[in-house]
Amino acid sequence: MARVVGGIGASHAPSMEHIYDAGEEVRRSSEWEPLFGPFQQVAEWLEQLRPDRLVVVYNDHMDEFFLNAYPTFALGVAESYPVADEGFGARPFPPLPGDSKLGWHIARSLVADEFDITICQELEVDHGVISPLPMIDFSKGEGWHLPIIPFVSNVILHPLPLPQRFYKLGQALRRAILSYPKDLGVVVVGTGGLSHQLTGTAFGTIHEDWDREFLTMLAEDPERLCGYTHEELMKLGGTEGVEVVQWLFMRGALPPDARPHIQAYYPHRIMGYGLQAYDASGSGG
């Protein structure tokens, strides 16, 4: 049977792409080492853990979906996922491998669990996936090592699904994975956040106290986060900071007693960058 062997919460941002693509010297600079150094720790942990699949929860940034038809939740069931062109040309990465059989199993399980989702047999992935993924995939230039199941959520077009819905969907995802008959180790990745605002007079504001409180609460008392409204999360962490509900999705897929063994926080320029990694390999799934 498949197992949930870990979870990762990670910011996603075009800035992370630009610094990664600038090369190792820039990534190791004093300005960016506080972010990229911990990502290297996660990559080394994954190389030891050797998971078989990643489920990546993110929000699409008007690349696959647009405001005229934006799904509340959408799941990829393809065998590969091209990298989207976000306006400056697609980054020079090959399509990400998928796992259609696992994707369809998760889709059927979630619908049977009363979570009705959009099913995508074709899907381009944007920086919600592709900004953190090169830093944790351990392929070392040999192409992508880990097939992914992309899971798109709506944190853009109101009405938004409740934070509690994200947490419960994470729990349903766990049930789906555990019911898959093939022996696979799965890591669930929730991306987005932490605090940032890209519009209005509060542009560029970082809410460091809230970011640190969120990381603690997610680890120790995630159900408390379910009681927040979107309006509260936006006031606490900025309009785009509401993306943190995707970390709550990831946390719902983990055992309640899981705790992060790698954690980093870096408030820099116009956002609070965050990273957590949970090892659940000893929990029996």
Side-chain angles (χ1 to χ4, degrees), residues 57-128:
V57 182
Y58 71 106
N59 55 290
D60 178 83
H61 300 80
M62 311 297 178
D63 293 298
E64 178 68 33
F65 304 107
F66 198 65
L67 299 179
N68 63 325
Y70 201 106
T72 302
F73 294 107
L75 176 72
V77 296
E79 287 292 341
S80 67
Y81 300 97
V83 177
D85 179 351
E86 299 188 61
F88 300 95
R91 293 176 76 197
F93 290 107
L96 287 83
D99 183 339
S100 180
K101 290 182 179 179
L102 177 59
W104 277 109
H105 171 82
I106 292 173
R108 294 186 184 100
S109 179
L110 291 179
V111 171
D113 219 353
E114 300 183 351
F115 288 92
D116 303 319
I117 54 175
T118 299
I119 298 173
C120 301
Q121 299 187 64
E122 294 181 355
L123 183 67
E124 291 188 348
V125 296
D126 66 12
H127 74 265

Side-chain angles (χ1 to χ4, degrees), residues 243-259:
E243 292 172 345
V244 296
V245 292
Q246 294 167 145
W247 291 46
L248 190 58
F249 189 137
M250 174 274 296
R251 186 65 179 88
L254 302 179
D257 60 352
R259 294 293 183 272

Side-chain angles (χ1 to χ4, degrees), residues 119-197:
I119 298 173
C120 301
Q121 299 187 64
E122 294 181 355
L123 183 67
E124 291 188 348
V125 296
D126 66 12
H127 74 265
V129 173
I130 204 69
S131 60
L133 211 61
M135 296 185 285
I136 62 174
D137 186 279
F138 48 90
S139 55
K140 295 182 173 62
E142 301 169 356
W144 296 106
H145 180 85
L146 290 169
I148 71 165
I149 307 296
F151 209 127
V152 182
S153 69
N154 174 27
V155 296
I156 293 176
L157 182 62
H158 291 260
L160 308 182
L162 296 172
Q164 185 176 37
R165 190 68 170 170
F166 281 86
Y167 188 64
K168 288 184 176 180
L169 188 51
Q171 294 174 321
L173 173 64
R174 177 180 178 82
R175 292 190 291 271
I177 293 170
L178 296 183
S179 67
Y180 191 60
K182 190 174 181 179
D183 183 19
L184 296 175
V186 180
V187 170
V188 180
V189 184
T191 79
L194 298 177
S195 66
H196 61 299
Q197 180 146 336

Side-chain angles (χ1 to χ4, degrees), residues 7 9 167 194 210-226 244 247-252 254-264 275-279:
Y167 188 64
L194 298 177
W210 164 247
D211 286 342
R212 295 187 184 278
E213 182 180 358
F214 169 80
L215 291 172
T216 299
M217 204 182 312
L218 185 76
E220 300 177 1
D221 192 9
E223 292 191 2
R224 182 180 165 198
L225 285 168
C226 295
V244 296
W247 291 46
L248 190 58
F249 189 137
M250 174 274 296
R251 186 65 179 88
L254 302 179
D257 60 352
R259 294 293 183 272
H261 70 290
I262 299 171
Q263 179 167 302
L275 178 66
Q276 280 187 336
Y278 296 75
D279 191 328

